[in-house]
Amino acid sequence: MDAFTYRDGSLHAEGVPLARIAAEVGTPVFVYSATAIEAQYDALAAALADMNIGICYALKANSNQAVIATLAGRGAGADVVSEGELRRALAAGVHPSKIVFAGVGKTAGEMRFALETGIHQFNLESEPELELLNDVAAGMGVVAPVAIRFNPDVDAKTHAKITTGKKENKFGIEIEQAKAVYARAAAMANIDPVGVAMHIGSQLTDLAPYRAAYRRMADLVRSLRAEGHDIRRVDLGGGIGIDYSGDHIVDLATYAAIVREEIAPLGAELLCEPGRLLVGNAGVLLTRTIFVKHGSAKRFVIVDAAMNDLIRPTLYEAYHQIVPVIENAPESPHPADIVGPVCESGDYLARDRALPELDAGDLLAVKSAGAYGAVMGSSYNTRLLAPEVLVRGDDFAVVRPRPSYEALIGQDRLPDWLSPPQPMRRAAAGED
Ligand code: LLP
């Protein structure tokens, strides 16, 4: 479903006019639709229903606790990659038995915390990590459930910065080393090797790489079993792409068919780790035009959202659709660059877009900003993190308020050797 539609000429999030949110909360602001998040979860769960696959939502896509709790309410578990994310999942009500801890560099402290919590599984990515977890678990007198992440060496055909399943990527253990590493894990007293995991990349719109990777994993599981290992679980990873530009929708039934054909016959307990698929198109970044500048070559629409709020366009050359909040505004013959106030040429949200005439004060919605938007935000240029709003039906709630300047600036501490700040002096003006 698209939760963002025009009603009476103005763009709404479900039943709430975005203009109302802008007026009451200010801009820039991320706006999410709870109904759209639930609809995506339900669609995936329905496609996979016959295989009884546990869906562990990858928190990295959007870790606002209201979003996590919305998904947990539907039955989702969590895929976390840091102690911080683990704490967020717990705080939002995800049961530890539904939490998978992934990531290439877990520290001893993080491992200890996860073991105390009693999570479902660690996904481990290297032999040193296996040794460290074995030591930490031994120190606590417990046994850690572990899936070993293998790298199937498959090209996911996505952006270079978000592909993970090739040998040259830092992720997982090369499949050629699988038998030796698995045997080592099985011999460790405080490791219970429960199965295998994989993740080949993010924003996959071509499903063929999944089939290739899952086939390799199934072969691996069979050969590990032939060596006597009890492979009980297979974690399928995440990465299913969403439609950013209106021309590429991944068919979940086709994805499910690949899993059904390649992996389900193994009879293992299955998990998957979707992030973007569940939340990406359920959010927009709402921003207000500050100025419009007409250069000789271009029209620059300077808005109050910037690369610190949504870094995807400049980091990955990512395309996000941008639409005016007022429908049918007069056409402009001049394409526009939508840029923010940050002092970098890379600070743009879109380039060369056909957009109507825009004036200061006009609102724009940057679409598909529900995943890897707010979570990748920063306060670069001492800009306040954009707040987050969750809409359900005709209601909305601020689920992360805009911080105050006092809170942001007050994080710094002056060392003893610097004198306390003085009120700014106007010595040059000769007032002393
Ligand atoms: N599992 C693992 C092990 C992962 O590394 C990731 C994403 C996921 C699951 C979830 O992938 P998803 O279903 O969301 O594609 N910041 C980038 C995306 C980075 C993805 C990192 N790993 C972006 O904005 O496109």
XYZ file of all heavy atoms in Angstrom, residues 294 298-299 332-336 353-357:
105
model
N 17.807 31.079 -8.782
C 17.885 30.794 -10.218
C 19.281 31.111 -10.721
O 19.647 32.277 -10.854
C 16.830 31.608 -10.988
C 15.440 31.143 -10.698
N 14.851 30.104 -11.375
C 14.534 31.547 -9.775
C 13.637 29.883 -10.889
N 13.425 30.747 -9.910
N 20.987 26.442 -13.719
C 20.091 25.599 -12.921
C 19.173 26.408 -12.032
O 19.443 27.556 -11.714
C 20.934 24.742 -11.970
C 21.661 23.642 -12.629
C 21.988 22.569 -11.651
C 22.622 21.466 -12.453
N 22.462 20.205 -11.979
N 18.166 25.680 -11.573
C 17.315 26.229 -10.502
C 17.674 25.459 -9.240
O 17.646 24.227 -9.224
C 15.862 25.985 -10.891
C 14.850 26.355 -9.839
C 13.411 26.308 -10.396
N 13.002 24.994 -10.837
C 11.854 24.387 -10.491
N 10.997 25.001 -9.685
N 11.541 23.204 -10.950
N 6.928 23.905 -14.002
C 8.074 24.767 -14.305
C 8.869 24.129 -15.435
O 9.053 22.913 -15.446
C 8.968 24.896 -13.073
O 10.225 25.413 -13.466
N 9.350 24.912 -16.375
C 10.162 24.337 -17.460
C 11.597 24.049 -17.004
O 12.343 23.382 -17.706
C 10.151 25.434 -18.531
C 9.899 26.706 -17.784
C 9.129 26.352 -16.535
N 11.983 24.543 -15.820
C 13.373 24.422 -15.391
C 13.556 23.287 -14.402
O 12.950 23.289 -13.331
C 13.848 25.718 -14.717
C 13.635 26.916 -15.560
N 14.336 27.121 -16.716
C 12.768 27.953 -15.440
C 13.924 28.238 -17.268
N 12.971 28.770 -16.516
N 14.409 22.302 -14.738
C 14.685 21.249 -13.756
C 15.362 21.840 -12.525
O 16.022 22.881 -12.608
C 15.615 20.291 -14.494
C 15.999 20.946 -15.758
C 15.172 22.165 -15.968
N 15.189 21.147 -11.411
C 15.686 21.697 -10.147
C 16.647 20.741 -9.459
O 16.485 19.521 -9.518
C 14.507 21.978 -9.218
N 15.668 17.538 -11.312
C 14.317 16.982 -11.221
C 13.283 17.914 -11.854
O 13.369 19.141 -11.688
C 13.914 16.794 -9.752
C 14.612 15.701 -9.037
C 14.247 14.336 -9.591
N 15.139 13.351 -9.008
C 14.933 12.781 -7.822
N 13.851 13.084 -7.136
N 15.788 11.915 -7.356
N 12.307 17.288 -12.486
C 11.154 18.050 -12.949
C 10.252 18.271 -11.746
O 9.739 17.325 -11.159
C 10.419 17.249 -14.014
N 10.124 19.515 -11.359
C 9.273 19.851 -10.216
C 8.530 21.137 -10.559
O 9.005 21.943 -11.358
C 10.121 20.076 -8.959
C 10.466 18.836 -8.137
C 11.551 19.147 -7.133
C 9.223 18.307 -7.417
N 7.376 21.341 -9.958
C 6.644 22.579 -10.254
C 7.408 23.813 -9.782
O 8.426 23.693 -9.105
C 5.340 22.416 -9.472
C 5.523 21.274 -8.573
C 6.678 20.469 -9.037
N 6.874 24.971 -10.116
C 7.407 26.217 -9.543
C 7.300 26.122 -8.027
O 6.295 25.644 -7.508
C 6.577 27.415 -10.018
C 6.751 27.786 -11.469
C 8.180 28.226 -11.791
O 8.937 28.565 -10.850
O 8.536 28.216 -12.983
